[in-house]
Amino acid sequence: MPAKSSADKSLDRLVRLARKLKLEDIAVGTSFGQPALRVHDRPFVSIKAAGIMVLHCPLEVKEMLMEMAPDIYFQTPHFEGWPALMVRLDQIGDEELALRIENAWRYKAPKRLAAKRPTAG
């Protein structure tokens, strides 16, 4: 069996955290040809490159995250003005990453499905 690529290992981490969160209606798929987690067939996180994830979120959250932790969260010109940003997976711990995955799931899930999940706090 061949060794797993960095992208496969990154996806495995996302899948493991999503399962631990018990997020509903998720599936592994693709987004623009890249491995992704989808909710109700809508991508909410995907692997962009080795160690880099694309995270879907509202624009105001994106700006806050990039300002709060520019070592973790960033964008390329391609993502300017788009409700998604890049995440350096080697710079983010599982606890914070799980929170971002859940928020991305909530952002992309159908409202009725998201409303069934209790919010933290």
Side-chain angles (χ1 to χ4, degrees), residues 29-116:
T30 60
S31 178
F32 297 100
Q34 300 299 320
L37 290 181
R38 302 173 74 85
V39 57
H40 206 69
D41 207 32
R42 298 175 187 149
F44 63 100
V45 294
S46 60
I47 303 301
K48 178 72 174 163
I52 303 292
M53 175 183 92
V54 176
L55 175 76
H56 293 258
C57 62
L59 287 171
E60 61 274 10
V61 172
K62 172 182 174 174
E63 297 301 324
M64 180 201 62
L65 290 173
M66 288 191 308
E67 190 173 310
M68 179 182 80
D71 53 322
I72 298 172
Y73 306 103
F74 68 102
Q75 69 179 341
T76 59
H78 177 77
F79 284 91
E80 287 178 14
W82 192 255
L85 75 160
M86 316 286 268
V87 179
R88 292 180 182 93
L89 291 170
D90 63 345
Q91 298 293 315
I92 188 170
D94 280 357
E95 187 175 339
E96 184 172 350
L97 182 56
L99 174 66
R100 301 297 166 230
I101 290 170
E102 180 169 2
N103 289 343
W105 176 89
R106 215 177 268 290
Y107 178 62
K108 296 297 276 193
K111 292 189 185 330
R112 182 175 289 187
L113 180 61
K116 288 178 17 182

Side-chain angles (χ1 to χ4, degrees), residues 5-44:
S5 71
S6 179
D8 288 338
K9 289 178 186 174
S10 295
L11 182 65
D12 288 349
R13 183 179 178 200
L14 300 181
V15 169
R16 177 178 50 82
L17 292 172
R19 285 189 177 140
K20 188 175 179 181
L21 291 164
K22 296 180 171 62
L23 298 176
E24 289 187 51
D25 195 18
I26 64 167
V28 174
T30 60
S31 178
F32 297 100
Q34 300 299 320
L37 290 181
R38 302 173 74 85
V39 57
H40 206 69
D41 207 32
R42 298 175 187 149
F44 63 100

